[in-house]
Structures are given as C-alpha cells and as structure tokens.
Amino acid sequence: MQKRLYRSDTNVMICGVCGGIGEYFDIDPTIVRLIWVVVILSSCGAGLLAYLAASLIIPKR
C-alpha cells in the first residue's frame, strides 16, 4: 500500500499540516511543529508562506 500525505484531523493545532507530516514520517508532530517554528523565525516569514501553501496544497483526509 502506498503512503500518502494528508493533513491530520486528529493532530490539529492550526490546519493539521504538521500533524500530517508527523504521521507520514512516523515522528511526533510536536517535533515537526518545533522545527517549523524555527524555520519561520529564521527565514523572516518565508516559512509562514510555506505553511500557508502547504495547507492549501495538502488535501484533508
């Protein structure tokens, strides 16, 4: 069976993107969220645009 990336409906904080990435790679979604916050802060907001794009591109389960 093929793995697919979906936004999570159980590990949701804002849109479920980090929860879905965590489920896809079998890691804790909190780690993904912390990494995403570091990326947002270090990229002067480009990470926020990437998050918004991911929330629009990644389908809901």
Side-chain angles (χ1 to χ4, degrees):
M1 187 165 148
Q2 203 176 44
K3 280 176 59 171
R4 295 203 42 151
L5 178 62
Y6 292 105
R7 287 186 293 157
S8 178
D9 26 343
T10 55
N11 292 317
V12 178
M13 291 294 253
I14 298 175
C15 293
V17 173
C18 294
I21 291 171
E23 291 171 0
Y24 182 80
F25 289 112
D26 292 326
I27 58 173
D28 188 14
T30 305
I31 295 171
V32 177
R33 289 182 186 106
L34 289 173
I35 292 170
W36 208 288
V37 167
V38 169
V39 169
I40 288 173
L41 294 175
S42 65
S43 66
C44 299
L48 183 62
L49 290 175
Y51 186 87
L52 293 174
S55 69
L56 293 173
I57 293 170
I58 299 173
K60 241 186 154 164
R61 184 173 308 232

Short mmCIF file of all heavy atoms in Angstrom, two decimals:
data_model
loop_
_atom_site.label_atom_id
_atom_site.label_comp_id
_atom_site.label_asym_id
_atom_site.label_seq_id
_atom_site.Cartn_x
_atom_site.Cartn_y
_atom_site.Cartn_z
N MET A 1 0.84 -1.18 0.00
CA MET A 1 0.00 0.00 0.00
C MET A 1 0.89 1.25 0.00
O MET A 1 1.90 1.32 0.67
CB MET A 1 -0.88 -0.01 1.25
CG MET A 1 -1.89 1.08 1.24
SD MET A 1 -3.13 0.74 2.49
CE MET A 1 -3.55 2.38 2.93
N GLN A 2 0.48 2.22 -0.75
CA GLN A 2 1.25 3.44 -0.93
C GLN A 2 0.90 4.45 0.17
O GLN A 2 -0.27 4.64 0.50
CB GLN A 2 0.91 4.02 -2.29
CG GLN A 2 1.95 4.92 -2.85
CD GLN A 2 1.55 5.35 -4.26
OE1 GLN A 2 0.41 5.70 -4.50
NE2 GLN A 2 2.48 5.31 -5.17
N LYS A 3 1.94 5.09 0.76
CA LYS A 3 1.71 6.13 1.76
C LYS A 3 1.37 7.43 1.05
O LYS A 3 1.96 7.76 0.03
CB LYS A 3 2.96 6.33 2.61
CG LYS A 3 3.12 5.30 3.68
CD LYS A 3 4.40 5.43 4.45
CE LYS A 3 4.61 6.71 5.14
NZ LYS A 3 5.77 6.71 6.05
N ARG A 4 0.40 8.15 1.60
CA ARG A 4 0.02 9.45 1.06
C ARG A 4 0.05 10.48 2.17
O ARG A 4 -0.22 10.18 3.32
CB ARG A 4 -1.38 9.38 0.47
CG ARG A 4 -1.40 8.45 -0.74
CD ARG A 4 -2.50 8.73 -1.66
NE ARG A 4 -2.68 10.16 -1.84
CZ ARG A 4 -3.15 10.71 -2.93
NH1 ARG A 4 -3.47 9.96 -3.93
NH2 ARG A 4 -3.31 12.00 -3.03
N LEU A 5 0.39 11.69 1.80
CA LEU A 5 0.46 12.79 2.76
C LEU A 5 -0.89 13.50 2.81
O LEU A 5 -1.40 13.96 1.77
CB LEU A 5 1.56 13.78 2.35
CG LEU A 5 1.73 15.01 3.21
CD1 LEU A 5 2.10 14.63 4.64
CD2 LEU A 5 2.79 15.92 2.62
N TYR A 6 -1.47 13.55 4.00
CA TYR A 6 -2.73 14.23 4.23
C TYR A 6 -2.57 15.17 5.42
O TYR A 6 -1.73 14.93 6.28
CB TYR A 6 -3.85 13.25 4.57
CG TYR A 6 -4.26 12.34 3.45
CD1 TYR A 6 -3.89 11.01 3.43
CD2 TYR A 6 -5.04 12.82 2.41
CE1 TYR A 6 -4.27 10.17 2.41
CE2 TYR A 6 -5.43 11.99 1.37
CZ TYR A 6 -5.05 10.67 1.38
OH TYR A 6 -5.43 9.85 0.36
N ARG A 7 -3.41 16.19 5.48
CA ARG A 7 -3.49 17.00 6.69
C ARG A 7 -4.19 16.16 7.75
O ARG A 7 -5.16 15.48 7.46
CB ARG A 7 -4.26 18.28 6.45
CG ARG A 7 -3.48 19.27 5.62
CD ARG A 7 -4.19 20.59 5.52
NE ARG A 7 -5.41 20.43 4.74
CZ ARG A 7 -6.45 21.24 4.82
NH1 ARG A 7 -6.45 22.25 5.63
NH2 ARG A 7 -7.50 21.03 4.07
N SER A 8 -3.71 16.22 8.96
CA SER A 8 -4.25 15.41 10.03
C SER A 8 -5.58 15.97 10.52
O SER A 8 -5.77 17.19 10.56
CB SER A 8 -3.26 15.34 11.19
OG SER A 8 -3.80 14.60 12.25
N ASP A 9 -6.50 15.07 10.90
CA ASP A 9 -7.72 15.54 11.53
C ASP A 9 -7.72 15.24 13.03
O ASP A 9 -8.62 15.62 13.73
CB ASP A 9 -8.98 14.97 10.87
CG ASP A 9 -8.81 13.66 10.16
OD1 ASP A 9 -7.69 13.28 9.87
OD2 ASP A 9 -9.83 13.01 9.88
N THR A 10 -6.66 14.56 13.51
CA THR A 10 -6.57 14.29 14.94
C THR A 10 -5.49 15.14 15.61
O THR A 10 -5.68 15.58 16.73
CB THR A 10 -6.25 12.80 15.20
OG1 THR A 10 -5.06 12.44 14.49
CG2 THR A 10 -7.39 11.92 14.73
N ASN A 11 -4.36 15.39 14.95
CA ASN A 11 -3.27 16.20 15.49
C ASN A 11 -3.32 17.60 14.89
O ASN A 11 -2.44 18.01 14.17
CB ASN A 11 -1.91 15.56 15.19
CG ASN A 11 -1.71 14.29 15.94
OD1 ASN A 11 -2.04 14.22 17.12
ND2 ASN A 11 -1.19 13.27 15.30
N VAL A 12 -4.37 18.33 15.21
CA VAL A 12 -4.59 19.64 14.59
C VAL A 12 -4.31 20.75 15.61
O VAL A 12 -4.80 20.71 16.73
CB VAL A 12 -6.06 19.77 14.10
CG1 VAL A 12 -6.31 21.13 13.51
CG2 VAL A 12 -6.38 18.69 13.11
N MET A 13 -3.48 21.71 15.22
CA MET A 13 -3.32 22.93 16.00
C MET A 13 -3.88 24.11 15.21
O MET A 13 -4.68 24.87 15.72
CB MET A 13 -1.85 23.19 16.32
CG MET A 13 -1.25 22.20 17.28
SD MET A 13 -1.98 22.29 18.88
CE MET A 13 -0.67 23.05 19.77
N ILE A 14 -3.45 24.26 13.97
CA ILE A 14 -3.97 25.33 13.12
C ILE A 14 -4.71 24.71 11.93
O ILE A 14 -5.92 24.82 11.82
CB ILE A 14 -2.84 26.26 12.64
CG1 ILE A 14 -2.18 26.93 13.84
CG2 ILE A 14 -3.38 27.31 11.68
CD1 ILE A 14 -0.98 27.77 13.52
N CYS A 15 -3.98 24.06 11.03
CA CYS A 15 -4.59 23.45 9.86
C CYS A 15 -4.33 21.95 9.76
O CYS A 15 -4.86 21.30 8.88
CB CYS A 15 -4.06 24.11 8.58
SG CYS A 15 -4.57 25.82 8.40
N GLY A 16 -3.49 21.40 10.61
CA GLY A 16 -3.20 19.98 10.57
C GLY A 16 -2.02 19.59 9.70
O GLY A 16 -1.77 18.41 9.47
N VAL A 17 -1.28 20.58 9.20
CA VAL A 17 -0.15 20.32 8.30
C VAL A 17 0.97 19.60 9.06
O VAL A 17 1.46 18.55 8.61
CB VAL A 17 0.38 21.62 7.66
CG1 VAL A 17 1.64 21.36 6.87
CG2 VAL A 17 -0.69 22.23 6.77
N CYS A 18 1.38 20.12 10.19
CA CYS A 18 2.47 19.50 10.96
C CYS A 18 2.06 18.13 11.48
O CYS A 18 2.88 17.21 11.51
CB CYS A 18 2.89 20.40 12.11
SG CYS A 18 3.64 21.95 11.57
N GLY A 19 0.81 17.98 11.88
CA GLY A 19 0.32 16.68 12.32
C GLY A 19 0.35 15.67 11.20
O GLY A 19 0.73 14.51 11.39
N GLY A 20 -0.01 16.09 10.01
CA GLY A 20 0.01 15.19 8.85
C GLY A 20 1.42 14.81 8.46
O GLY A 20 1.69 13.65 8.11
N ILE A 21 2.35 15.75 8.53
CA ILE A 21 3.75 15.45 8.21
C ILE A 21 4.31 14.49 9.26
O ILE A 21 5.04 13.55 8.93
CB ILE A 21 4.57 16.75 8.12
CG1 ILE A 21 4.14 17.55 6.89
CG2 ILE A 21 6.07 16.45 8.07
CD1 ILE A 21 4.73 18.94 6.81
N GLY A 22 3.96 14.71 10.52
CA GLY A 22 4.41 13.81 11.57
C GLY A 22 3.87 12.41 11.40
O GLY A 22 4.59 11.42 11.60
N GLU A 23 2.61 12.28 11.03
CA GLU A 23 2.02 10.96 10.79
C GLU A 23 2.66 10.29 9.58
O GLU A 23 2.89 9.09 9.57
CB GLU A 23 0.51 11.08 10.58
CG GLU A 23 -0.24 11.46 11.83
CD GLU A 23 -1.69 11.78 11.57
OE1 GLU A 23 -2.15 11.70 10.40
OE2 GLU A 23 -2.40 12.12 12.55
N TYR A 24 2.96 11.05 8.55
CA TYR A 24 3.55 10.49 7.33
C TYR A 24 4.94 9.91 7.61
O TYR A 24 5.27 8.84 7.12
CB TYR A 24 3.63 11.57 6.25
CG TYR A 24 4.17 11.08 4.93
CD1 TYR A 24 3.36 10.39 4.04
CD2 TYR A 24 5.49 11.31 4.57
CE1 TYR A 24 3.84 9.94 2.83
CE2 TYR A 24 5.99 10.85 3.36
CZ TYR A 24 5.16 10.17 2.50
OH TYR A 24 5.65 9.72 1.29
N PHE A 25 5.76 10.64 8.38
CA PHE A 25 7.12 10.19 8.65
C PHE A 25 7.23 9.41 9.96
O PHE A 25 8.33 9.07 10.39
CB PHE A 25 8.08 11.39 8.70
CG PHE A 25 8.32 11.99 7.35
CD1 PHE A 25 7.85 13.26 7.06
CD2 PHE A 25 9.02 11.30 6.38
CE1 PHE A 25 8.07 13.82 5.81
CE2 PHE A 25 9.25 11.86 5.14
CZ PHE A 25 8.77 13.12 4.85
N ASP A 26 6.11 9.12 10.63
CA ASP A 26 6.06 8.37 11.88
C ASP A 26 6.93 9.00 12.97
O ASP A 26 7.70 8.32 13.65
CB ASP A 26 6.47 6.91 11.67
CG ASP A 26 5.46 6.14 10.85
OD1 ASP A 26 4.26 6.44 10.98
OD2 ASP A 26 5.86 5.25 10.09
N ILE A 27 6.82 10.32 13.12
CA ILE A 27 7.50 11.03 14.20
C ILE A 27 6.47 11.86 14.96
O ILE A 27 5.35 12.08 14.48
CB ILE A 27 8.66 11.92 13.70
CG1 ILE A 27 8.17 12.95 12.68
CG2 ILE A 27 9.77 11.10 13.10
CD1 ILE A 27 9.21 13.95 12.27
N ASP A 28 6.84 12.32 16.12
CA ASP A 28 5.94 13.11 16.95
C ASP A 28 5.64 14.45 16.27
O ASP A 28 6.57 15.17 15.89
CB ASP A 28 6.59 13.33 18.31
CG ASP A 28 5.66 13.97 19.31
OD1 ASP A 28 4.44 14.01 19.07
OD2 ASP A 28 6.16 14.43 20.36
N PRO A 29 4.37 14.81 16.10
CA PRO A 29 4.03 16.09 15.46
C PRO A 29 4.58 17.31 16.21
O PRO A 29 4.79 18.35 15.61
CB PRO A 29 2.51 16.10 15.45
CG PRO A 29 2.12 14.68 15.54
CD PRO A 29 3.18 14.00 16.34
N THR A 30 4.83 17.17 17.51
CA THR A 30 5.39 18.29 18.27
C THR A 30 6.79 18.64 17.77
O THR A 30 7.15 19.82 17.69
CB THR A 30 5.44 17.93 19.77
OG1 THR A 30 4.12 17.57 20.19
CG2 THR A 30 5.92 19.11 20.59
N ILE A 31 7.56 17.63 17.41
CA ILE A 31 8.90 17.87 16.86
C ILE A 31 8.79 18.61 15.53
O ILE A 31 9.54 19.55 15.27
CB ILE A 31 9.66 16.54 16.70
CG1 ILE A 31 9.90 15.93 18.08
CG2 ILE A 31 10.97 16.73 15.95
CD1 ILE A 31 10.45 14.53 18.05
N VAL A 32 7.83 18.21 14.71
CA VAL A 32 7.63 18.89 13.41
C VAL A 32 7.21 20.34 13.64
O VAL A 32 7.70 21.24 12.97
CB VAL A 32 6.57 18.14 12.57
CG1 VAL A 32 6.30 18.86 11.26
CG2 VAL A 32 6.99 16.71 12.31
N ARG A 33 6.35 20.57 14.62
CA ARG A 33 5.93 21.93 14.93
C ARG A 33 7.10 22.80 15.40
O ARG A 33 7.22 23.96 14.99
CB ARG A 33 4.83 21.91 15.99
CG ARG A 33 3.53 21.39 15.47
CD ARG A 33 2.44 21.44 16.54
NE ARG A 33 1.25 20.81 16.04
CZ ARG A 33 0.82 19.61 16.41
NH1 ARG A 33 1.48 18.93 17.33
NH2 ARG A 33 -0.27 19.10 15.89
N LEU A 34 7.94 22.24 16.26
CA LEU A 34 9.10 23.00 16.74
C LEU A 34 10.06 23.33 15.61
O LEU A 34 10.58 24.46 15.53
CB LEU A 34 9.82 22.21 17.84
CG LEU A 34 9.09 22.11 19.17
CD1 LEU A 34 9.83 21.16 20.10
CD2 LEU A 34 8.92 23.46 19.80
N ILE A 35 10.29 22.37 14.72
CA ILE A 35 11.16 22.62 13.56
C ILE A 35 10.54 23.71 12.68
O ILE A 35 11.24 24.61 12.20
CB ILE A 35 11.40 21.32 12.78
CG1 ILE A 35 12.26 20.37 13.60
CG2 ILE A 35 12.04 21.60 11.43
CD1 ILE A 35 12.36 18.97 13.03
N TRP A 36 9.23 23.65 12.50
CA TRP A 36 8.56 24.63 11.65
C TRP A 36 8.65 26.04 12.25
O TRP A 36 8.86 27.02 11.54
CB TRP A 36 7.10 24.26 11.43
CG TRP A 36 6.60 24.78 10.11
CD1 TRP A 36 6.32 26.07 9.80
CD2 TRP A 36 6.37 24.04 8.92
NE1 TRP A 36 5.91 26.18 8.51
CE2 TRP A 36 5.93 24.95 7.94
CE3 TRP A 36 6.48 22.71 8.60
CZ2 TRP A 36 5.61 24.54 6.66
CZ3 TRP A 36 6.15 22.32 7.32
CH2 TRP A 36 5.73 23.23 6.36
N VAL A 37 8.54 26.15 13.57
CA VAL A 37 8.67 27.46 14.23
C VAL A 37 10.08 28.01 14.04
O VAL A 37 10.25 29.20 13.75
CB VAL A 37 8.31 27.35 15.73
CG1 VAL A 37 8.73 28.59 16.49
CG2 VAL A 37 6.83 27.11 15.90
N VAL A 38 11.08 27.16 14.18
CA VAL A 38 12.47 27.60 13.96
C VAL A 38 12.65 28.08 12.52
O VAL A 38 13.29 29.11 12.28
CB VAL A 38 13.46 26.47 14.31
CG1 VAL A 38 14.87 26.80 13.85
CG2 VAL A 38 13.44 26.19 15.80
N VAL A 39 12.07 27.37 11.57
CA VAL A 39 12.17 27.77 10.16
C VAL A 39 11.47 29.11 9.93
O VAL A 39 12.01 29.98 9.24
CB VAL A 39 11.59 26.67 9.23
CG1 VAL A 39 11.43 27.18 7.81
CG2 VAL A 39 12.46 25.44 9.26
N ILE A 40 10.31 29.29 10.52
CA ILE A 40 9.58 30.56 10.36
C ILE A 40 10.39 31.72 10.93
O ILE A 40 10.52 32.77 10.30
CB ILE A 40 8.19 30.47 11.02
CG1 ILE A 40 7.28 29.57 10.21
CG2 ILE A 40 7.57 31.85 11.17
CD1 ILE A 40 5.94 29.30 10.86
N LEU A 41 10.95 31.53 12.12
CA LEU A 41 11.70 32.61 12.76
C LEU A 41 13.01 32.91 12.06
O LEU A 41 13.45 34.06 12.00
CB LEU A 41 11.95 32.28 14.23
CG LEU A 41 10.71 32.22 15.11
CD1 LEU A 41 11.09 31.77 16.51
CD2 LEU A 41 9.99 33.55 15.14
N SER A 42 13.65 31.88 11.51
CA SER A 42 14.95 32.11 10.88
C SER A 42 14.84 32.56 9.42
O SER A 42 15.81 33.04 8.87
CB SER A 42 15.80 30.84 10.96
OG SER A 42 15.20 29.81 10.19
N SER A 43 13.67 32.43 8.83
CA SER A 43 13.55 32.79 7.41
C SER A 43 12.77 34.09 7.21
O SER A 43 12.33 34.37 6.09
CB SER A 43 12.86 31.66 6.65
OG SER A 43 11.52 31.52 7.10
N CYS A 44 12.58 34.85 8.26
CA CYS A 44 11.88 36.13 8.18
C CYS A 44 10.49 36.01 7.58
O CYS A 44 10.07 36.85 6.77
CB CYS A 44 12.70 37.15 7.40
SG CYS A 44 14.29 37.52 8.14
N GLY A 45 9.78 34.95 7.91
CA GLY A 45 8.41 34.79 7.47
C GLY A 45 8.20 33.94 6.24
O GLY A 45 7.06 33.63 5.89
N ALA A 46 9.26 33.53 5.55
CA ALA A 46 9.08 32.69 4.37
C ALA A 46 8.53 31.32 4.76
O ALA A 46 7.78 30.70 4.00
CB ALA A 46 10.41 32.53 3.63
N GLY A 47 8.86 30.86 5.96
CA GLY A 47 8.31 29.60 6.45
C GLY A 47 6.81 29.67 6.66
O GLY A 47 6.10 28.69 6.48
N LEU A 48 6.33 30.86 7.03
CA LEU A 48 4.89 31.05 7.19
C LEU A 48 4.18 30.94 5.85
O LEU A 48 3.11 30.33 5.75
CB LEU A 48 4.60 32.40 7.84
CG LEU A 48 3.16 32.71 8.15
CD1 LEU A 48 2.58 31.71 9.13
CD2 LEU A 48 3.04 34.12 8.70
N LEU A 49 4.77 31.51 4.83
CA LEU A 49 4.19 31.37 3.48
C LEU A 49 4.20 29.91 3.02
O LEU A 49 3.25 29.45 2.40
CB LEU A 49 4.95 32.24 2.48
CG LEU A 49 4.76 33.74 2.63
CD1 LEU A 49 5.67 34.48 1.66
CD2 LEU A 49 3.32 34.11 2.39
N ALA A 50 5.26 29.19 3.36
CA ALA A 50 5.35 27.77 3.02
C ALA A 50 4.26 26.98 3.76
O ALA A 50 3.65 26.07 3.19
CB ALA A 50 6.73 27.23 3.35
N TYR A 51 4.01 27.34 5.02
CA TYR A 51 2.96 26.67 5.78
C TYR A 51 1.59 26.93 5.16
O TYR A 51 0.78 26.02 5.02
CB TYR A 51 2.96 27.13 7.24
CG TYR A 51 1.98 26.37 8.10
CD1 TYR A 51 2.35 25.18 8.70
CD2 TYR A 51 0.68 26.82 8.29
CE1 TYR A 51 1.46 24.46 9.47
CE2 TYR A 51 -0.22 26.12 9.05
CZ TYR A 51 0.17 24.94 9.64
OH TYR A 51 -0.73 24.23 10.40
N LEU A 52 1.34 28.16 4.80
CA LEU A 52 0.05 28.50 4.17
C LEU A 52 -0.12 27.78 2.83
O LEU A 52 -1.20 27.29 2.52
CB LEU A 52 -0.07 30.01 3.99
CG LEU A 52 -0.18 30.82 5.28
CD1 LEU A 52 -0.15 32.31 4.98
CD2 LEU A 52 -1.43 30.45 6.04
N ALA A 53 0.96 27.71 2.05
CA ALA A 53 0.89 26.99 0.78
C ALA A 53 0.65 25.51 1.03
O ALA A 53 -0.16 24.88 0.32
CB ALA A 53 2.19 27.19 0.00
N ALA A 54 1.30 24.94 2.03
CA ALA A 54 1.10 23.52 2.34
C ALA A 54 -0.33 23.26 2.80
O ALA A 54 -0.91 22.22 2.46
CB ALA A 54 2.09 23.07 3.41
N SER A 55 -0.91 24.19 3.54
CA SER A 55 -2.28 23.99 4.00
C SER A 55 -3.28 24.04 2.84
O SER A 55 -4.35 23.45 2.92
CB SER A 55 -2.65 25.01 5.07
OG SER A 55 -2.74 26.30 4.52
N LEU A 56 -2.91 24.73 1.77
CA LEU A 56 -3.78 24.77 0.60
C LEU A 56 -3.54 23.59 -0.34
O LEU A 56 -4.48 23.10 -0.98
CB LEU A 56 -3.55 26.07 -0.18
CG LEU A 56 -3.98 27.35 0.54
CD1 LEU A 56 -3.56 28.56 -0.26
CD2 LEU A 56 -5.48 27.36 0.78
N ILE A 57 -2.30 23.09 -0.41
CA ILE A 57 -1.95 22.04 -1.35
C ILE A 57 -2.23 20.65 -0.80
O ILE A 57 -2.76 19.79 -1.53
CB ILE A 57 -0.46 22.17 -1.75
CG1 ILE A 57 -0.24 23.45 -2.54
CG2 ILE A 57 0.00 20.95 -2.54
CD1 ILE A 57 1.22 23.79 -2.77
N ILE A 58 -1.89 20.41 0.46
CA ILE A 58 -2.07 19.08 1.05
C ILE A 58 -3.55 18.85 1.31
O ILE A 58 -4.20 19.62 2.01
CB ILE A 58 -1.26 18.94 2.35
CG1 ILE A 58 0.23 19.13 2.07
CG2 ILE A 58 -1.50 17.58 2.98
CD1 ILE A 58 1.09 19.17 3.30
N PRO A 59 -4.12 17.77 0.76
CA PRO A 59 -5.55 17.53 0.95
C PRO A 59 -5.88 17.03 2.35
O PRO A 59 -5.04 16.46 3.03
CB PRO A 59 -5.86 16.45 -0.09
CG PRO A 59 -4.59 15.73 -0.26
CD PRO A 59 -3.50 16.74 -0.07
N LYS A 60 -7.12 17.28 2.76
CA LYS A 60 -7.61 16.73 4.02
C LYS A 60 -7.98 15.28 3.82
O LYS A 60 -8.34 14.87 2.72
CB LYS A 60 -8.84 17.50 4.46
CG LYS A 60 -8.67 18.18 5.77
CD LYS A 60 -9.93 18.80 6.23
CE LYS A 60 -9.82 18.84 7.74
NZ LYS A 60 -10.73 19.68 8.36
N ARG A 61 -7.83 14.47 4.85
CA ARG A 61 -8.14 13.04 4.74
C ARG A 61 -9.62 12.84 4.53
O ARG A 61 -10.48 13.38 4.97
CB ARG A 61 -7.70 12.32 5.99
CG ARG A 61 -7.89 10.84 5.89
CD ARG A 61 -7.30 10.16 7.07
NE ARG A 61 -5.92 10.60 7.22
CZ ARG A 61 -4.90 9.81 7.34
NH1 ARG A 61 -5.07 8.53 7.36
NH2 ARG A 61 -3.69 10.28 7.48
#
